[in-house]
Amino acid sequence: MKNAAHYYSIGPLLYCPANNTSIAGSILQQKFGASYSLALCLEDTIADAFVAQAEHILLQTMDTLYKAREESTFFMPKIFIRIRSAAQMINLPKRLGPARGLVCGFILPKLDPDNIGEYIRAAKAVNSAYPQTFYIMPIMESKVLADLRKRADALYQIKDRLSEIEELVLNIRVGGNDLCHLFGFRRSQSESIHSIFPVSHIFADIVTVFGMDYIISGPVWEYYNGTGWERGLRRELTEDKLCGFIGKTAIHPRQIPIIQQAYTVTRSDFENAKAILNWNKDTAYWVSGNAQKERMDEYKTHTNWAQKILYLADAYGVN
């Protein structure tokens, strides 16, 4: 289990095409609130012929934010760049100039055993070149994961390689829509991705392999309007949490407060967690009912849960 609060701090990750010319203005005007992170995407949301243009707009966006930050105070989300290649991880910080200081890290799409080596080399290189830390967030969405004969080997190969830079891996993310695409699936507003068993079994294997050592974030929910979209998102968030996911990608600003609320820690869980971590270890009993006498606490088996609750409380708050 990750033992530092910053691994839990991504919150709702709002995805935006990097060629969106309005994003800097929206941040400066605080249109999205103050409880989200931002992903500027150069991959699937950009047509192949327009990547250079999108990079140029991204540089302009970051320069605008950097200059504004020098002159005024406003909420600046953690900003990540979803790249297409390891080369972009090397080149973009050079081109960003001092605005690179606003970039928290890079999102690595479709990570698999074939491309992980070049991404690791790029992550090491860019972190050696500058005094700041550039984190990475790999996405598990490659076609190899749909092959039962190769899945376990592929996941463990990836995990073994990532151990070289484990401290730089802020989150593991899952590409729910990419995995659904392989099978031709698409859920409705009233359906959860966890009910699509070929995909949810892949999720379960990802959590099994990575869940004890990394934070894993939940898949995107693509609905943001119409009848029932909020109810569907809340249902899927409940199942995300039960399956071991922390945080979720947001495809639209309207989703941000719902994701934030889902991971806000209840007061009872917060107090319960503190009691477990402050257990009197000199007592003969390492099992006891909680303060409300609603459930049984065991010091040896609930400490990981309790520590996670305190990290979540720090990132999402307590209600």
Side-chain angles (χ1 to χ4, degrees):
M1 191 186 91
K2 284 299 182 189
N3 59 355
H6 63 275
Y7 292 104
Y8 295 78
S9 66
I10 305 304
L13 179 66
L14 178 63
Y15 254 65
C16 177
N19 59 359
N20 185 331
T21 56
S22 68
I23 192 68
S26 295
I27 292 173
L28 294 175
Q29 296 168 38
Q30 305 286 266
K31 288 186 176 180
F32 306 145
S35 60
Y36 71 100
S37 297
L38 178 67
L40 296 176
C41 180
L42 290 167
E43 204 232 358
D44 284 349
T45 62
I46 306 296
D48 294 346
F50 292 88
V51 175
Q53 180 192 71
E55 288 181 345
H56 178 69
I57 294 171
L58 183 152
L59 297 176
Q60 289 182 319
T61 296
M62 298 305 299
D63 186 62
T64 298
L65 292 173
Y66 175 77
K67 289 176 178 176
R69 191 72 178 272
E70 294 289 292
E71 299 174 358
S72 61
T73 301
F74 55 93
F75 172 75
M76 180 69 74
K78 291 181 174 66
I79 296 177
F80 300 87
I81 301 173
R82 176 167 166 155
I83 54 178
R84 285 184 170 226
S85 67
Q88 284 180 321
M89 198 191 311
I90 300 294
N91 295 329
L92 285 173
K94 297 176 186 176
R95 299 170 64 190
L96 281 164
R100 76 177 70 93
L102 300 180
V103 177
C104 188
F106 298 93
I107 299 171
L108 315 183
K110 300 172 179 63
L111 195 73
D112 62 34
D114 292 330
N115 61 27
I116 189 171
E118 58 183 334
Y119 277 126
I120 288 176
R121 288 189 291 272
K124 289 179 178 178
V126 75
N127 276 283
S128 297
Y130 304 99
Q132 75 185 88
T133 299
F134 290 100
Y135 291 99
I136 64 168
M137 295 199 292
I139 309 180
M140 302 299 160
E141 56 185 354
S142 295
K143 187 175 182 179
V144 67
L145 300 184
D147 190 334
L148 279 171
R149 298 164 299 178
K150 300 177 181 178
R151 184 187 305 161
D153 286 344
L155 289 172
Y156 280 108
Q157 286 180 52
I158 293 170
K159 185 181 182 185
D160 289 345
R161 292 300 308 275
L162 283 179
S163 66
E164 299 177 33
I165 53 169
E166 182 176 339
E167 72 283 357
L168 298 177
V169 182
L170 202 55
N171 278 187
I172 301 288
R173 310 194 75 85
V174 296
N177 281 352
D178 279 76
L179 293 173
C180 284
H181 168 69
L182 295 175
F183 299 98
F185 298 149
R186 189 175 192 182
R187 64 200 185 280
S188 72
Q189 296 183 16
S190 63
E191 296 167 329
S192 166
I193 199 167
H194 299 288
S195 297
I196 305 175
F197 293 144
V199 175
S200 64
H201 288 169
I202 297 173
F203 288 170
D205 288 343
I206 292 170
V207 174
T208 299
V209 173
F210 292 96
M212 288 185 283
D213 301 294
Y214 296 93
I215 303 303
I216 307 172
S217 181
V220 68
W221 174 262
E222 59 192 348
Y223 298 96
Y224 59 87
N225 208 346
T227 303
W229 76 269
E230 294 171 293
R231 182 169 60 254
L233 174 55
R234 288 191 176 95
R235 173 190 171 189
E236 187 164 285
L237 280 161
T238 297
E239 296 180 8
D240 284 350
K241 292 166 63 179
L242 187 61
C243 293
F245 294 117
I246 294 173
K248 196 172 184 70
T249 298
I251 205 69
H252 190 276
R254 296 184 71 187
Q255 297 177 341
I256 291 173
I258 298 174
I259 298 170
Q260 172 70 25
Q261 182 185 47
Y263 284 94
T264 300
V265 173
T266 65
R267 175 60 59 179
S268 61
D269 274 355
F270 182 67
E271 298 299 337
N272 199 184
K274 289 196 298 181
I276 290 169
L277 295 178
N278 292 322
W279 202 285
N280 179 4
K281 300 179 186 63
D282 294 327
T283 183
Y285 296 99
W286 280 18
V287 59
S288 173
N290 70 348
Q292 294 80 24
K293 301 303 178 187
E294 296 171 335
R295 59 187 179 189
M296 196 65 68
D297 292 338
E298 295 186 59
Y299 174 73
K300 283 189 174 182
T301 57
H302 290 136
T303 50
N304 281 348
W305 171 85
Q307 185 61 72
K308 182 174 73 173
I309 289 296
L310 295 192
Y311 287 141
L312 288 172
D314 184 63
Y316 292 90
V318 179
N319 63 14

